[in-house]
Amino acid sequence: MKVSIEWLRELVDVDQSAEQLAETLTRGGIEVENVENLNKGFEKVIIGEINSLTKHPDADRLWVCGVNVGQEEVTIVTGAQNLLVGDRIPVAMIGATLPNDLSIRKSKLRGVVSQGMLCSREELLLDATVGLDRSEGGILVLPAEAPVGENFGKYLGREDSVLDLELYPNRPDCLAMVNVAREVASLTEKQPHLPKWADEESELFLPEAEDFKIIIEEEELCRRYAGLVVEDVHIAPSPEWMQRRLKAAGVRPISNIVDITNYCMLEMGQPLHAFDRDKISGNIHVRTAKAGEKIVTLDGVERSVQVDTLLIADDRQALAVAGVMGGFDSEVTKDTKRLLVESAHFSGVSVRRTSRRLGLRSEASNRYEKGVNPYGCVATLGRVCDLLVELGAGRPVDFLDEVKTLPSRRRIKLSVEHTAAVLGVELKDSEIRRVLDDLNFVYREDEGFFEVEIPTYRADLEIEEDLMEEVARLMGYDRIPTTLPQGDQTQGSRTPEQEFRRRMRKVLVQSGMDEVMTYTFTGAARDAKWGSEKHSISLLNPLREELSVMRTSLVPGLLEVASKNVARRNTEVSIFEVGTTYLGEEKPLRKLPREVLRVAGVAVGKSGRHWLNPPINYDFYYVKGILEEVAQEFGLKLDYRMPENRPLLHPGRSADVYLHNECIGYLGEMHPSEEKEWALERVVLFELDMAALFTHRLPIVRAQSIPRFPAINRDLAVVVSLGTSAAAVMAKIRKLGGELLQKVEIFDVYTGKSIPDGRKSLAFSLRYQSLERTLTDEEVNILNSRILEGIQQEFDAEWRK
C-alpha cells in the first residue's frame, strides 16, 4: 500500500516528516518498507522563460539562450532546435542531479560559458503527457501559464513523499487511506478529519431502482451487492489533484469515472467497478460460470472460465469476473451516458482462486483476497456520489442494496489485571481508557473490565489477546521491560537413543561406508518386495508414482542411490542409512502408523585402489565383518543362521541375523535375478532393527588387558555332510574347548576332488590362551583331540589330515 503524505495530511494533522512518520508507524506495528521522495531529481530544476535566442558565434548547430529563472537571468548553450523566444522550459541549475543521475556543472561550450542545462522529457524521465506537442525530440516546452521561477517538481505536484507499507494479512484495513489516517491519529494522539462516509453507519438516501433487480445466486460467495445508477454521465479527464494522488499510489489515471472508482477504493478500501448501464440487459445476477462459458475481459482477451468461477452477469451474458476484472462488452467508453457502479463483498477464497487461474492481479483482487469490510459497501457508494457531483461527472439517481448475510458485530471484554499480567507491566484503568479513546473505539467500563465494541473494519480483533496487543502497540513496546528467562537451567545432553544412533553412524563410517539420506516414500512394488505390503501406507497425493507409499524398508531407497552412482561410473559404492520405516496397522488408516527405526547398508563392487592396501571385494564376508564391528562396539553377540523365506537373496550367500534368539534382520548377496532390475552386479546388503540392538546393548563395554602369556594356534579340518551347518559345528567347538579356547574362526569351505559326494570340508582356526600361565603343547593337544572326538560323534565327521 502506497500512502501519499499530501493526501494523508488532508485526513489527519501530521506534523512529522515522512521519515519520522515512517518510524512512528513501524514502531506501532505497521511496517514501512520504503520512503519515496517524488521530488527527487527536481530539487534544483526551475521553470525558466527564454528571453533571447541567438546563434552561437562559433557553432552552426548551437544556440545561446538568455533564460529568466525568476531572480536572475542565466546564459545557457543548447543544441535544441524546437525553441522560441518566450517559451517556458525546465532549467537544471548548476549543482542539480537529474532523475537520470546526470549531474549539472558549469561548463564552457566553444568559448561560451553555460550556467545550467535546458531539460528534455527523457532527461527528467517524464512521459508524453507533460508539455506541448513540439517537445517531442527536443527540449520540454511547458504551457504559457507555467510560473517562472517556481520549482519544477512543485509545478508537477511532486512535492510529495510516499510511504510504502508492508502490510501483513492480519491488517487488511490499512489498504484504505481513511484507516491509515486512523492509525496515524492513534499513534500520534491526533484527531482525524475523515469524510462523513468513513462512518460505516452512513446511509445513502436515493430512491430504489425499479427497472432492474440484483439476484445473488451464490450466497456463500457473495454476502452483499450494492449498485448505484448514474445518469447524465460526462466523460473527461479527472482533475490534476486526483491524478496526482492516483499516480502517487501507483494507479494510472484513465478518465474521471474510472479515476473516481479507483480513488474511492484507495480512500475507503472498498473495490468498485463501473458498468455502462445501457449495455446491461435486464437484471444483475451474481452466479457461477456455466460449463464452457467464456468472457472477454477489459484487456481484450477471451478467457474460458471454470464452473466454480464467480461472475457478474445480466439476463443474457457475463459482464465481469467478480472481484478480478470487468468485461469488455460492458466497459465505460467516451460515449457512455449512464452508469451502474458496483460495490460488493465477494469471498476472498473465490477471488484468490480465480485470480490465480486467470493470471490476473489487481488492486481490487488484492483487497478482496485479504478481506473487505461488508459494512462499508454502501458508504463507499456515498463517497462516489459526492465526487461525481463535485467533478460534474454525472448525476446519481437510483440505488439498490441486496444483503444476504453480514458478520455479527463483535464485543470483547478486556481485563486490566489480565492485560498487565500478560504484558508484564503495571497498568492503570486510565491508561487503557486512553488507548481505547485514541483508537476511537466505543466501550463500557465496569470495575477493572472494559467491554469494547469492535469496529467492523478491524476484522483482526477477535479475542481479548488481540486487544492486549493494541494496548501494547499504542502504549509503546519500549515500555515493556526486558527480562531474562528465569528457572533452573541444566546442561543439555543427548538421550541414550540419540547417543546410540550417533555411535552406530560412527562405527559404520569408520568401517568405510558413506551415510546417505533417502526419501521416506518409495514405489509400491519395490516396497512390497523388500518390506511389508500388508503394512504399506499409500499416499493420497504422491509426488510421483515412484514415491507413492511410505517405506516399510530402507533397502529400495539405498538400491536406487547405488544404481544411480553405478550408472554414472562411480563403482565404489558402500552406503548406509539410519532411518524410520512406517507400518500401518489398519486400512484405511485411522491412527498414526507405527514407526520402526532401522539401519541398512548396500555395497557394490570393490574398494578403490590404494598404495598401501589391496582392493577389497564387497561380498558376504565384507558385510558380515561390518556387523561384527557393530556387535563389538555395543557388546552384542550376533548369531547367523540359514535364512528363512528370503527369495530376494542368494540362497548360499545370505543369513538371518539373530540376537538373543530373536531374528532382528538379515544380510547377504542379492539374488542375480533381482540385480537385473537395478542394473547392478554382485550387490551385498543388510538391514537390522535398531530397537533390538539398542535394547540388548551393554551400557558399559568391559575391556580386557592384553594377555601376558602367548597363545597357541591350531587348525582343524573335518569332513561333514552337506546339510551340516558350519555355525552348529563352531558352537560345538566352543562348548568343548572351555575357557582356554579364546577364539574360533572358519577360514575354508571346500567341496570337490578328494571329498566324497554329498560331503564338504570345513576348516577352522582355533586359538588357545590362558590369562594366568603359559600353555603347553600337551594341554592343547588333549583339548584338540576332545573337540575332534565330539565333532565326530555328533556330526558323523571325519578328520581331514
Side-chain angles (χ1 to χ4, degrees), residues 218 220-222 287-289 303-311 321-325 346-362 364-370:
E218 299 291 336
E220 293 184 358
L221 303 182
C222 180
R287 61 170 175 83
T288 51
R303 302 179 187 274
S304 298
V305 289
Q306 298 188 18
V307 291
D308 61 345
T309 301
L310 190 65
L311 300 178
V321 182
V324 179
M325 183 174 282
F346 301 123
S347 164
V349 174
S350 174
V351 172
R352 184 185 303 112
R353 181 171 56 239
T354 301
S355 176
R356 288 183 177 178
R357 282 177 184 166
L358 300 180
L360 294 173
R361 300 280 295 175
S362 63
S365 66
N366 180 43
R367 283 164 172 77
Y368 278 123
E369 289 176 20
K370 290 181 168 59

Side-chain angles (χ1 to χ4, degrees), residues 92 100 129 321 360 640:
N100 66 349
T129 60
V321 182
L360 294 173
Y640 305 94

Side-chain angles (χ1 to χ4, degrees), residues 26-44:
T26 300
R27 286 181 175 274
I30 307 297
E31 184 178 349
V32 178
E33 185 177 12
N34 184 42
V35 179
E36 180 184 1
N37 179 12
L38 297 183
N39 198 39
K40 184 178 180 180
F42 294 92
E43 295 90 341
K44 291 189 176 183

Side-chain angles (χ1 to χ4, degrees), residues 545-703:
E545 185 62 29
E546 295 81 4
L547 300 174
S548 59
V549 299
M550 300 186 75
R551 66 187 180 188
T552 59
S553 170
L554 303 179
V555 172
L558 292 174
L559 288 174
E560 185 172 353
V561 173
S563 179
K564 288 182 178 179
N565 274 271
V566 171
R568 289 158 179 79
R569 299 189 178 183
N570 177 23
T571 57
E572 304 166 14
V573 178
S574 180
I575 56 177
F576 76 92
E577 180 175 10
V578 176
T580 305
T581 57
Y582 304 88
L583 306 178
E585 303 296 339
E586 56 186 349
K587 291 183 180 180
L589 207 62
R590 295 186 181 89
K591 60 182 180 180
L592 293 177
R594 180 163 55 93
E595 298 185 16
V596 178
L597 187 67
R598 300 182 189 274
V599 56
V602 168
V604 182
K606 59 183 179 180
S607 62
R609 298 169 60 185
H610 193 269
W611 66 271
L612 182 60
N613 299 315
I616 300 174
N617 289 320
Y618 294 150
D619 55 13
F620 174 87
Y621 296 103
Y622 168 76
V623 174
K624 182 174 179 289
I626 291 176
L627 297 191
E628 287 298 322
E629 289 291 331
V630 171
Q632 184 175 354
E633 172 71 18
F634 297 107
L636 303 171
K637 190 171 183 179
L638 299 179
D639 188 16
Y640 305 94
R641 303 181 186 177
M642 293 290 290
E644 297 182 5
N645 193 24
R646 301 286 182 191
L648 302 180
L649 300 180
H650 195 292
R653 301 169 187 168
S654 59
D656 284 340
V657 182
Y658 280 77
L659 181 61
H660 289 262
N661 287 322
E662 176 189 359
C663 183
I664 64 169
Y666 58 87
L667 80 155
E669 186 176 316
M670 188 190 296
H671 197 285
S673 63
E674 290 296 323
E675 291 176 345
K676 295 178 182 178
E677 178 184 349
W678 301 96
L680 298 172
E681 293 183 2
R682 298 298 297 270
V683 181
V684 288
L685 52 88
F686 69 88
E687 186 171 27
L688 302 177
D689 185 351
M690 287 279 284
L693 297 174
F694 174 74
T695 301
H696 297 294
R697 80 199 188 287
L698 291 181
I700 299 176
V701 178
R702 299 188 180 276

Side-chain angles (χ1 to χ4, degrees), residues 197 326 382 389 398 461 507 510 573 642 718:
W197 300 106
V389 173
D398 294 324
L461 302 181
V507 172
Q510 288 177 340
V573 178
M642 293 290 290
V718 293

Side-chain angles (χ1 to χ4, degrees), residues 44 70 177 239 258 268 274 373 430 476 496 523 534 551 564 593 702:
K44 291 189 176 183
M177 284 295 302
V258 178
M268 308 292 289
N373 178 17
S430 59
K534 174 184 175 182
R551 66 187 180 188
K564 288 182 178 179
R702 299 188 180 276

